[in-house]
Amino acid sequence: MKARIVFWLLQVLIALDQLANALLFFGWADETISARSWRQREKWQWRVARCAIDWLFALLGDSNHCEGAYQSEQQRSQLPGELR
């Protein structure tokens, strides 16, 4: 039961992240801010965002979070198995 709640909470946080990317930054609806900050890392604003996000996630043990998020998007890893 606890694992299901954690999974659900993670899905909600990802959905909010994608919504923020679409609403606040005029981004793609299915892309997280982390993945976008890696994809657009040549632009100074996104480079700053990437550094801040990677620093924050490094505190949680995920030092290359943005690159990983981008690769996950490319591989469609965030989708359920039946949709990949």
Side-chain angles (χ1 to χ4, degrees), residues 26-67:
F26 303 97
W28 299 335
D30 192 32
E31 183 178 44
T32 63
I33 295 170
S34 299
R36 184 174 182 187
S37 67
W38 179 262
R39 180 174 58 83
Q40 294 191 328
R41 64 191 178 277
E42 292 81 25
K43 297 179 180 177
W44 72 268
Q45 303 94 320
W46 291 105
R47 190 175 323 123
V48 170
R50 183 188 57 80
C51 289
I53 293 167
D54 278 345
W55 176 82
L56 180 64
F57 275 86
L59 298 174
L60 301 172
D62 186 6
S63 59
N64 291 321
H65 174 78
C66 292
E67 182 179 8

